[in-house]
């Protein structure tokens, strides 16, 4: 590095140090520091600055804004994922970060110089966000902003991350929704004959996630053996266009084989026959994706499309007012209260555990890495099993009469 001490006048020196290129622009950087005092003081400052640079503790002056940092971090993260060498995270995660930063953080905080951004600025942004979005969304914005600012720390643009000490609104705990056996049967009846019939049946019968269901191929299904294997999931990369991609499970436990009940096997056989007839009728226009669930021409289905249709099924929108019916009566869905598609996965696990299926087996069917996680999520089912276990042991020791 080219560093020098220049005497300007008596008891007045300029210490110039050479720095690494700007992490935002890649341009060469040199900084000057003024010393009013003897040369020994200027030399001591120069030595200290060099030590700070060597230790990575020196923070250079920068005109970069919060927007510059966020965009540079997103670009670097995108490039790292594109390299696919030791790739971490999923394209869906990257899209989410882009949406959070470009859609909210940058418009609100982007103009601030990165070195003048404070914890108070960030907390004010969170408070203003709560007027329009939920606490959970604010928390997601915090996670994205904190990671972008951590990149600024590692790039020596700022000394500390101001988002680390920010007070983040706590998201309200959302009570898990699961259906009873009767409700599940009612939902299947309501979905029969619609595009939701297959995904609803598979979610309730296997506990698979929506993306896994839409990524399921016939080559992953063995109807003779009564099993299917989860090998890929559909990712929706953007809210517009055809941004769909297929990706393998995130964990080793996610790539799993699930046993099918005989009614599910019979249902899938009939669905395959109907789909084969549709494929033959389409001829060359059919997209050969081998998907169990697909569009009328064989193309993959967007998860958001299924979620939207499912929402309309379980919670039908109120008809629009007309001259004949200025106050139309709201439609009622098949269930006592609405639920999300993901709640069908919860339903499968809850009903299985309530029936006495071992937690380890349920955990494997769901693709959880650890059975302890399944225990934490579905603890609401275990008190009943605990009582049944106590009664069973008492019956074995004292006899049925004493156990009751």
């Amino acid at each position: 590095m080219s560093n020098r001490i220049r005497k300007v006048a008596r008891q007045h020196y300029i210490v110039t140090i050479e720095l690494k290129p700007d992490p935002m622009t890649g341009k060469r950087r040199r900084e000057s520091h003024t010393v009013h005092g003897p040369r020994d003081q200027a030399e001591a400052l120069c030595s200290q600055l060099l030590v700070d640079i060597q230790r990575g503790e020196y923070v250079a002056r920068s005109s970069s804004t919060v927007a510059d940092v966020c965009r540079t971090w997103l670009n670097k993260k995108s490039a790292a994922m594109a390299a696919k060498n030791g790739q971490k995270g999923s394209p869906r995660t990257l899209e989410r970060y882009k949406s959070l930063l470009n859609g909210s953080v940058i418009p609100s905080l982007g103009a601030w110089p990165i070195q003048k951004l404070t914890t108070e600025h960030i907390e004010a942004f969170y408070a203003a966000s709560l007027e329009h979005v939920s606490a959970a969304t604010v928390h997601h914005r915090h996670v994205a902003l904190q990671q972008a600012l951590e990149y600024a720390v590692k790039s020596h643009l700022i000394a500390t991350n101001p988002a680390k000490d920010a007070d983040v609104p706590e998201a309200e705990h959302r009570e898990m929704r699961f259906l009873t056996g009767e409700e599940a049967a009612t939902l299947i009846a309501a979905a029969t004959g619609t595009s939701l019939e297959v995904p609803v049946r598979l979610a309730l019968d296997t506990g698979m996630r929506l993306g896994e269901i839409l990524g399921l191929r016939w080559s992953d299904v063995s109807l003779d053996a009564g099993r299917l294997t989860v090998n890929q999931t559909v990712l929706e990369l953007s809210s517009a266009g055809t941004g769909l991609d297929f990706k393998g499970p995130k964990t080793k436990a996610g790539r799993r084989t699930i046993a099918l009940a005989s009614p599910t096997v019979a249902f899938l056989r009939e669905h395959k026959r109907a789909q084969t007839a549709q494929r033959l009728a389409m001829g060359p226009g059919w997209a050969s994706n081998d998907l169990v669930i697909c569009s009328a021409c064989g193309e993959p289905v967007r998860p958001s499309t299924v979620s939207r249709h499912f929402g309309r099924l379980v919670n039908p929108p109120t008809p629009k007012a007309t001259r004949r019916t200025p106050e139309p009566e709201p439609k009622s869905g098949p269930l006592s209260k609405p639920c999300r598609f993901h709640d069908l996965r919860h339903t499968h696990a809850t009903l299985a555990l309530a029936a006495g299926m071992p937690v380890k087996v349920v955990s494997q069917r769901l693709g959880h890495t650890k059975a302890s996680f399944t225990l934490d999520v579905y603890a609401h089912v275990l008190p009943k099993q605990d009582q049944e276990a106590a009664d069973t042991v008492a019956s074995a020791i004292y006899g049925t009469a004493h156990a009751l």
Side-chain angles (χ1 to χ4, degrees):
M1 291 185 179
S2 177
N3 307 286
R4 64 193 182 94
I5 301 174
R6 180 169 61 90
K7 183 176 182 180
V8 179
R10 185 173 178 273
Q11 300 288 303
H12 185 183
Y13 294 90
I14 301 294
V15 177
T16 303
I17 55 174
E18 187 82 20
L19 303 173
K20 292 181 179 179
D22 190 310
M24 298 290 109
T25 63
K27 294 182 179 180
R28 177 187 181 187
R29 291 186 301 173
R30 301 178 73 190
E31 286 192 357
S32 297
H33 297 259
T34 301
V35 176
H36 293 283
R39 184 177 180 86
D40 290 349
Q41 188 175 336
E43 291 176 348
L45 175 61
C46 185
S47 298
Q48 183 60 51
L49 292 174
L50 292 176
V51 170
D52 291 345
I53 293 172
Q54 187 175 9
R55 291 177 177 175
E57 299 174 355
Y58 183 82
V59 177
R61 305 185 193 103
S62 176
S63 60
S64 297
T65 63
V66 174
D68 295 332
V69 170
C70 289
R71 290 176 181 134
T72 302
W73 177 71
L74 285 172
N75 290 338
K76 287 186 175 294
K77 195 171 184 65
S78 179
M81 292 183 66
K84 295 183 178 180
N85 185 13
Q87 178 178 345
K88 294 182 180 180
S90 69
R92 176 63 176 169
T93 303
L94 179 61
E95 286 289 326
R96 181 61 173 155
Y97 282 141
K98 288 181 178 179
S99 174
L100 291 166
L101 294 177
N102 293 327
S104 60
V105 174
I106 291 177
S108 300
L109 298 175
W112 274 101
I114 189 63
Q115 294 183 341
K116 292 185 178 181
L117 182 70
T118 65
T119 300
E120 288 73 21
H121 295 144
I122 295 173
E123 290 178 344
F125 164 61
Y126 294 160
S129 297
L130 281 175
E131 298 179 5
H132 310 285
V133 298
S134 67
T137 300
V138 175
H139 178 76
H140 294 322
R141 292 178 179 180
H142 167 73
V143 171
L145 175 60
Q146 181 169 280
Q147 291 198 36
L149 294 179
E150 197 60 34
Y151 164 74
V153 173
K154 292 179 180 179
S155 300
H156 306 298
L157 291 172
I158 52 178
T160 59
N161 187 339
K164 275 191 173 181
D165 296 326
D167 289 332
V168 186
E170 292 187 7
E172 295 182 3
H173 176 69
R174 185 170 185 175
E175 185 178 352
M176 183 184 298
R177 168 83 161 108
F178 60 91
L179 310 182
T180 64
E182 293 76 10
E183 285 180 316
T186 299
L187 179 61
I188 290 174
T192 299
T194 73
S195 61
L196 291 171
E197 183 176 7
V198 182
V200 165
R201 286 283 298 261
L202 284 176
L204 288 171
D205 293 353
T206 67
M208 293 168 66
R209 302 175 180 88
L210 177 56
E212 295 171 341
I213 292 171
L214 297 180
L216 185 66
R217 297 164 298 192
W218 288 113
S219 58
D220 302 321
V221 182
S222 176
L223 295 177
D224 292 334
R227 294 180 178 276
L228 64 80
T229 303
V230 178
N231 284 317
Q232 66 176 14
T233 184
V234 170
L235 294 175
E236 195 164 355
L237 302 181
S238 62
S239 58
T242 58
L244 292 177
D245 192 17
F246 292 96
K247 191 180 189 303
K250 290 183 178 180
T251 64
K252 184 179 179 180
R255 193 180 298 275
R256 61 201 187 276
T257 298
I258 302 173
L260 301 174
S262 55
T264 308
V265 172
F267 171 75
L268 287 176
R269 286 189 189 279
E270 181 58 35
H271 172 61
K272 188 174 185 179
R273 281 194 290 267
Q275 190 185 84
T276 300
Q278 185 178 10
R279 174 172 57 83
L280 294 175
M282 282 290 296
W286 182 268
S288 301
N289 291 310
D290 193 36
L291 294 171
V292 174
I293 298 174
C294 57
S295 68
C297 57
E299 295 290 349
V301 178
R302 297 176 70 89
S304 61
T305 300
V306 176
S307 296
R308 185 173 64 254
H309 290 172
F310 183 80
R312 290 176 179 173
L313 174 69
V314 298
N315 188 28
T318 301
K320 293 183 179 180
T322 62
R323 288 185 179 181
R324 290 186 177 181
T325 55
E327 296 182 359
E329 293 187 8
K331 293 183 177 180
S332 59
L335 306 177
S336 58
K337 58 180 180 178
C339 72
R340 305 167 302 163
F341 189 92
H342 193 72
D343 293 327
L344 306 187
R345 173 175 165 86
H346 294 322
T347 298
H348 175 84
T350 301
L351 294 178
L353 290 170
M357 184 177 293
V359 175
K360 180 65 174 177
V361 175
V362 176
S363 180
Q364 291 173 342
R365 288 179 69 85
L366 296 178
H368 290 166
T369 303
K370 296 181 179 179
S372 59
F373 178 78
T374 310
L375 281 170
D376 291 340
V377 175
Y378 299 100
H380 61 281
V381 185
L382 302 182
K384 179 181 177 181
Q385 289 188 343
D386 187 39
Q387 184 61 53
E388 291 176 350
D391 293 340
T392 301
V393 172
S395 177
I397 298 174
Y398 306 108
T400 305
H402 293 85
L404 297 177

